[in-house]
């Protein structure tokens, strides 16, 4: 018994001896009083820009957005942001944020389920609000994301969450907005003696997958009609595809795959279709437009898909999609740690043809429309959620982006994150060392 107590005492002492490290900030409390931001340039998100503007919000909703001269200051806590810029909170679509923390630690990876056909999987219930990555993306103005499952042929459903909550239930903005279908690839790498055999096996596997998909969608349509004797969770989870309450997100990049996937969905009566990835979207723009298909374009900061393409093709694709009249949003599709760069891919698109406000819309209002949450978020307009950011510089320019305030549903967000904590920690260390260098000594000699 004495040994047991001794070990407990040692453990307690060790815990108190460990220095404090950066933790994910606690979620902000509900807005308690009306707030009015004044003096900034307002970028509404729908293409409009208001100089010397004011934005007021109460109980989490925007009550005023317009010229400062028309704002009623009575009863508001006024925050002077003169010379800064107000933007809608940015929205990252198609992300495993909160589902994957440390790739080398299996227990922190929860973005896919076992098996190929998992329409009943709900990714949002695995969403981790305590992820260390979340504060780092909020610091650059990304305040919402589409939590998306990965892997298999049908990965499951995605949900829209805001990035400041105690748990996944509190985080939900709109649950189970769409089903994610990874379209079977038509392409395979060749260049070796086994190429023919690999192609043959691939063709067989693809044909098998296509038959399984066709069967599943036909059965789901019958289930939707009510012609069934027992409950089937997989089929029940797909019924929204046939009445337009749920969208089908087809993940495909190759032009023929996009056409095949859309035609497949249309054949089975799917009402709302979005293509994700869409590297070849410009090549099949007429087809996409004719079928009212929206696009979540991935890979702005990427190399061209083909050797014959212009080297800047990924950069100018957003502009070409806009010119073609295709509804589109931008997605930072690389490592989830890079989601904080979402505003900068919009900035790149602006440098390669898009108007600056059109580029902003591609990561705010356009995304909200495609995800089906534009009535709540995506622009700074009266009646919508007060989910917005204030930046001392251009939010889309990595040289001047400097988020000074962020609000989610009217709640003021703590912009502290792990990187900032480490910066302050080591900045203090080296400042202290610099001050300890004796007068007349150089820093290099002091280091010796």
């Amino acid at each position: 018994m004495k040994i047991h107590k001794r070990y407990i005492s040692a453990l307690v002492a060790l815990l108190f001896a460990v220095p404090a490290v950066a933790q994910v900030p606690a979620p902000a409390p509900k807005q308690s009083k009306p707030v009015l931001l004044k003096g900034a340039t307002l970028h509404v998100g729908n293409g409009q820009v208001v100089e010397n503007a004011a934005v007021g919000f109460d109980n989490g909703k925007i009550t005023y957005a317009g010229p400062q001269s028309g704002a009623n200051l009575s009863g508001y806590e006024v925050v002077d942001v003169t010379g800064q810029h107000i933007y809608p909170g940015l929205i990252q679509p198609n992300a495993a944020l909160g589902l994957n923390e440390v790739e080398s630690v299996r227990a922190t990876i929860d973005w896919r389920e076992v098996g190929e056909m998992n329409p009943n999987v709900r990714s949002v219930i695995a969403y981790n609000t305590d992820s260390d990555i979340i504060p780092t993306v909020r610091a650059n103005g990304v305040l919402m994301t589409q939590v998306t499952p990965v892997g298999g042929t049908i990965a499951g459903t995605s949900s829209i969450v805001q990035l400041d909550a105690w748990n996944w239930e509190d985080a939900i903005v709109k649950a189970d907005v769409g089903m994610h279908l990874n379209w079977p690839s038509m392409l395979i790498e060749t260049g070796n003696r086994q190429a023919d055999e690999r192609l043959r096996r691939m063709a067989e596997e693809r044909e098998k997958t296509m038959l399984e998909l066709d069967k599943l969608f036909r059965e789901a349509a019958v289930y939707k009609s009510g012609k069934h004797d027992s409950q089937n969770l997989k089929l029940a989870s797909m019924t929204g595809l046939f009445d337009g309450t749920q969208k089908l997100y087809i993940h495909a990049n190759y032009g023929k795959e996009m056409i095949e996937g859309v035609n497949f969905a249309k054949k089975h009566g799917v009402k709302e279709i979005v293509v994700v990835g869409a590297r070849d979207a410009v090549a099949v723009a007429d087809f996409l437009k004719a079928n009212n298909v929206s696009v979540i374009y991935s890979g702005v900061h990427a190399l061209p898909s083909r050797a014959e393409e212009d080297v800047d093709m990924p950069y100018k694709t957003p502009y070409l999609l806009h010119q073609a009249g295709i509804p589109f949003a931008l997605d930072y599709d690389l490592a989830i740690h890079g989601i904080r760069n979402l505003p900068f891919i919009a900035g790149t698109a602006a440098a390669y043809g898009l108007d600056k406000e059109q580029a902003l819309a591609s990561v705010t209002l356009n995304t909200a429309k495609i995800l089906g949450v534009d009535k709540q978020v995506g622009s700074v307009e009266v009646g919508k959620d007060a989910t917005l950011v204030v930046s001392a510089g251009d939010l889309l320019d990595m040289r001047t982006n400097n988020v000074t305030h962020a609000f989610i549903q009217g709640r003021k967000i703590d912009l502290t994150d792990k990187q900032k904590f480490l910066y302050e920690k080591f900045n203090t260390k080296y400042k202290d060392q610099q001050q300890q260098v004796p007068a007349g000594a150089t820093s290099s000699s002091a280091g010796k």
Side-chain angles (χ1 to χ4, degrees), residues 137 148 185 246 320 335 398:
V137 304
T148 305
S185 176
Q246 195 176 56
L320 297 176
M398 67 175 64

Side-chain angles (χ1 to χ4, degrees), residues 228-247:
H228 56 85
D229 298 324
S230 59
Q231 187 178 27
N232 185 308
L233 294 180
K234 285 193 173 185
L235 301 181
S237 65
M238 298 176 65
T239 56
L241 297 174
F242 307 109
D243 60 17
T245 58
Q246 195 176 56
K247 296 187 179 185

Side-chain angles (χ1 to χ4, degrees), residues 133-448:
I133 304 170
I134 291 174
T136 69
V137 304
R138 295 192 315 213
N140 273 1
V142 182
L143 303 184
M144 296 176 59
T145 190
Q146 178 189 23
V147 181
T148 305
V150 178
T153 302
I154 298 183
T157 60
S158 61
S159 296
I160 315 304
V161 299
Q162 48 85 6
L163 300 182
D164 185 62
W166 286 105
N167 50 58
W168 66 266
E169 292 97 331
D170 294 342
I172 287 177
V173 174
K174 189 173 182 180
D176 305 322
V177 296
M179 189 76 60
H180 291 261
L181 168 58
N182 296 305
W183 194 252
S185 176
M186 290 181 170
L187 301 177
I188 187 172
E189 293 182 6
T190 58
N192 56 56
R193 288 180 296 178
Q194 288 78 34
D196 291 341
E197 175 61 21
R198 291 178 64 203
L199 285 169
R200 184 188 65 77
R201 282 189 280 107
M202 175 196 164
E204 291 177 354
E205 291 172 4
R206 190 171 192 278
E207 183 178 2
K208 179 182 177 182
T209 300
M210 294 297 294
L211 290 173
E212 290 176 357
L213 273 176
D214 187 71
K215 179 183 177 183
L216 183 63
F217 272 76
R218 283 190 288 104
E219 290 177 349
V222 172
Y223 190 91
K224 171 70 169 62
S225 68
K227 299 176 182 179
H228 56 85
D229 298 324
S230 59
Q231 187 178 27
N232 185 308
L233 294 180
K234 285 193 173 185
L235 301 181
S237 65
M238 298 176 65
T239 56
L241 297 174
F242 307 109
D243 60 17
T245 58
Q246 195 176 56
K247 296 187 179 185
L248 180 63
Y249 293 87
I250 301 175
H251 294 247
N253 283 303
Y254 182 42
K256 289 184 178 180
E257 292 171 358
M258 295 162 64
I259 292 173
E260 186 181 43
V262 170
N263 284 335
F264 173 89
K266 289 281 186 180
K267 181 185 78 171
H268 287 283
V270 176
K271 301 295 183 184
E272 299 285 341
I273 304 169
V274 180
V275 174
V276 182
R279 295 288 181 88
D280 279 354
V282 173
V284 294
D286 291 341
F287 171 83
L288 296 174
K289 187 173 182 179
N291 286 278
N292 298 315
V293 176
S294 300
V295 165
I296 296 177
Y297 178 67
S298 304
V300 172
H301 287 176
L303 293 172
S305 300
R306 296 177 177 81
E308 66 271 15
E309 289 183 343
D310 294 343
V311 69
D312 58 358
M313 187 63 184
Y315 305 156
K316 64 185 181 183
T317 291
Y319 169 72
L320 297 176
L321 291 175
H322 176 74
Q323 290 294 97
I326 306 297
F328 74 95
L330 298 183
D331 155 31
Y332 192 90
D333 72 328
L334 303 178
I336 56 174
H337 306 80
I339 292 173
R340 60 182 178 270
N341 293 319
L342 179 65
F344 309 140
I345 66 170
T348 298
Y352 281 81
L354 272 188
D355 174 84
K356 182 62 74 69
E357 301 308 312
Q358 293 168 350
L360 175 64
S362 71
V363 289
T364 55
L365 187 57
N366 288 5
T367 310
K369 287 179 179 178
I370 290 174
L371 300 182
V373 291
D374 55 301
K375 301 299 182 185
Q376 295 169 259
V377 294
S379 59
V380 184
E381 297 180 87
V382 173
K384 290 192 175 183
D385 289 353
T387 298
L388 49 93
V389 296
V390 181
S391 175
D394 185 346
L395 189 69
L396 307 188
D397 185 348
M398 67 175 64
R399 297 167 300 179
T400 61
N401 172 299
N402 180 17
V403 175
T404 58
H405 301 78
F407 299 87
I408 294 179
Q409 297 170 344
R411 297 176 288 110
K412 192 174 190 332
I413 305 306
D414 186 339
L415 293 174
T416 303
D417 61 50
K418 193 170 186 177
Q419 278 86 351
K420 290 178 180 177
F421 171 83
L422 293 174
Y423 170 80
E424 293 297 335
K425 173 182 175 180
F426 290 102
N427 190 42
T428 301
K429 173 186 176 182
Y430 291 114
K431 274 185 177 179
D432 290 345
Q433 287 184 355
Q434 199 72 21
Q435 291 170 359
Q436 293 170 10
V437 175
T442 65
S443 58
S444 58
S445 63
K448 297 177 183 176

